Amino acid sequence: METVKVRMSNKTTYITGSVKTVLKNNIRQYAMLIALFTAMFVFQIATEGVFLKPMNVTNLILQNSYVLILAIGMTLCILTGGNIDLSVGSVCAFIGGLLGTLIINMKVGVWPAILIALLAGVVIGMWQGFWIAYVRIPAFIVTLSGMLIFRGLTNTLLEGLTLAPFPKSFGMLSSGYIPDFFNGKNINITALLVGIIASAIYVFLEIQKRSERKKYGMYTIPLPLFIAQLVFVVAAINVFFFYLAIYKGIPIILAIIAVLLIGYSILTMKTVPGRYIYAMGGNEKAAKLSGINTNKVLFLTYVNMSVLAAIAGIVFTARSDAASPVAGVNFELDAIAACFVGGASAYGGVGTVIGAVIGALFMGVLNNGMFILGVGSDWQMTIKGLVLLTAVAFDVVSKNRAKA
């Protein structure tokens, strides 16, 4: 137990913290982490050690890379007020079809084709963002329309055919690995060093954050719990990178996801535009009265979502080595489920990018674990549906209790 001094004007108040209080105040974050590691532990036992083999750990990241990318963008949409984007799966398919047409049929270079695909993502986002933000047609209707439009355009572009294969240089985006700069024989030294550096940065940032909270008299968790948290996270980071090191090293796609995760975490938590998104989700009328251009915020949020959908489409197409008219089916459902399971509120204004990524990993663990165990696709869908319902029900019950 720890006592924290809080100064309010000329009065000093003492807040006593306990483990129970900490868990209650951070129940979303801790519940998701506990669920993730519990699922991994259960599948490790059920699969007799197959689940956490280094090759499968790497495959888990590669297989769910598109969901991780989509979940980041979907989080921002949900934060603006519980809005979602139902078109992302079709946009991924359309981007794949565009890449196939450019690279395979028209012999355009890989990087110019990728640039054109990203620009297409911007245009798609501007199209949908205009109707949502300025005409104020509900996002559900606009993106449902987009789902149909871009699925139809994909079939038109590909003429109902699958285009394959792509050049090896394109496939490296999703299946390539960062080279070991230290030429380790049986282990990737670069991956180990990245794990150590990531651990050091995490510890530094957490200590700095704790010091700032104490400086301004804000609540901090008890010191023993804080140390236990550091030890647990550092151990998890280094075990993860050790598994990568003894297989093939760090996948290129993992580096891309890490850059997106860090960038969007800073955007949402440390910048003015990020605060605008949370403010709009909390109360749009109040945000307007405080001078926030909510139309612009909403517009840019959906432009951003389509750009990330384009990136996810590039990644998925590179991994599958084919542009298919049926690609991207149910991608939007995977991304939405990841956000809600990761702690985003169905009402908007609550949620984090990191939480969405954890939610995506949890859904990926369920998919991968059930696949190894030979669970049928029908039961997989049933279980994932129940998980999503439980996560949203938890959010609604928590809101109702807070209001009571």
Side-chain angles (χ1 to χ4, degrees):
M1 186 172 291
E2 181 180 357
T3 302
V4 180
K5 183 191 295 183
V6 180
R7 294 185 179 179
M8 301 174 65
S9 65
N10 60 346
K11 185 179 179 181
T12 300
T13 305
Y14 291 89
I15 300 176
T16 302
S18 65
V19 174
K20 184 178 179 180
T21 304
V22 173
L23 291 175
K24 184 178 179 181
N25 293 339
N26 300 275
I27 190 166
R28 288 172 179 271
Q29 177 184 347
Y30 289 120
M32 195 62 253
L33 283 172
I34 291 170
L36 175 61
F37 285 101
T38 300
M40 293 173 66
F41 178 75
V42 169
F43 282 126
Q44 175 68 356
I45 295 174
T47 61
E48 298 179 350
V50 174
F51 181 77
L52 288 180
K53 282 188 174 181
M55 183 177 69
N56 194 57
V57 171
T58 300
N59 285 337
L60 187 64
I61 299 298
L62 297 179
Q63 290 168 0
N64 294 281
S65 55
Y66 69 90
V67 182
L68 294 168
I69 295 169
L70 291 175
I72 292 172
M74 195 68 73
T75 299
L76 271 61
C77 293
I78 292 172
L79 285 174
T80 59
N83 300 305
I84 56 176
D85 189 336
L86 295 174
S87 69
V88 293
S90 295
V91 172
C92 287
F94 176 74
I95 293 298
L98 181 61
L99 288 168
T101 302
L102 291 172
I103 297 174
I104 297 175
N105 288 349
M106 300 176 66
K107 308 302 179 183
V108 175
V110 169
W111 289 108
I114 288 175
L115 179 60
I116 292 171
L118 292 174
L119 290 174
V122 173
V123 173
I124 292 169
M126 293 174 67
W127 164 260
Q128 297 196 132
F130 168 76
W131 295 107
I132 295 168
Y134 295 104
V135 183
R136 285 293 171 162
I137 298 175
F140 177 87
I141 300 300
V142 173
T143 57
L144 178 60
S145 169
M147 175 196 288
L148 300 174
I149 290 171
F150 296 112
R151 182 63 63 183
L153 289 175
T154 302
N155 278 279
T156 301
L157 195 61
L158 295 175
E159 298 180 347
L161 303 175
T162 297
L163 295 179
F166 282 85
K168 289 184 178 180
S169 58
F170 180 68
M172 288 294 289
L173 285 172
S174 187
S175 59
Y177 295 82
I178 295 173
D180 185 4
F181 300 105
F182 299 94
N183 298 318
K185 291 184 178 180
N186 298 318
I187 193 167
N188 191 297
I189 299 174
T190 299
L192 292 178
L193 287 177
V194 170
I196 293 170
I197 293 170
S199 300
I201 292 173
Y202 170 77
V203 171
F204 172 77
L205 292 176
E206 286 297 309
I207 292 175
Q208 186 182 52
K209 180 181 175 182
R210 182 180 174 85
S211 297
E212 288 179 356
R213 292 180 68 86
K214 277 193 168 185
K215 179 180 177 181
Y216 294 105
M218 299 173 69
Y219 179 82
T220 57
I221 66 174
L223 184 60
L225 188 59
F226 176 71
I227 294 173
Q229 174 185 311
L230 292 182
V231 171
F232 179 79
V233 174
V234 167
I237 290 172
N238 283 279
V239 168
F240 173 69
F241 278 96
F242 175 76
Y243 271 59
L244 296 180
I246 59 178
Y247 184 53
K248 291 183 179 180
I250 302 173
I252 292 174
I253 189 59
L254 178 61
I256 295 173
I257 292 170
V259 170
L260 291 174
L261 176 60
I262 294 170
Y264 279 91
S265 293
I266 293 173
L267 171 69
T268 53
M269 305 301 292
K270 300 290 185 180
T271 67
V272 172
R275 295 192 200 97
Y276 285 175
I277 292 173
Y278 278 100
M280 182 177 175
N283 189 321
E284 185 175 353
K285 289 184 179 179
K288 270 188 177 181
L289 291 173
S290 65
I292 297 174
N293 187 340
T294 54
N295 289 346
K296 182 179 179 181
V297 171
L298 199 56
F299 176 77
L300 292 177
T301 298
Y302 276 88
V303 171
N304 173 77
M305 179 72 259
S306 292
V307 171
L308 287 178
I311 295 174
I314 294 168
V315 168
F316 181 79
T317 304
R319 177 163 176 76
S320 60
D321 196 29
S324 170
V326 295
V329 174
N330 291 335
F331 280 16
E332 59 280 345
L333 302 183
D334 290 335
I336 293 167
C339 293
F340 287 132
V341 170
S345 173
Y347 302 99
V350 175
T352 63
V353 170
I354 293 176
V357 169
I358 293 173
L361 287 174
F362 178 76
M363 299 301 285
V365 165
L366 284 182
N367 285 334
N368 187 267
M370 288 189 291
F371 176 79
I372 294 173
L373 291 173
V375 178
S377 59
D378 51 348
W379 278 107
Q380 288 187 35
M381 293 176 67
T382 302
I383 292 170
K384 288 193 291 183
L386 290 173
V387 169
L388 175 59
L389 179 62
T390 301
V392 176
F394 178 79
D395 172 54
V396 172
V397 171
S398 299
K399 284 274 186 181
N400 292 336
R401 285 183 177 178
K403 291 178 181 178

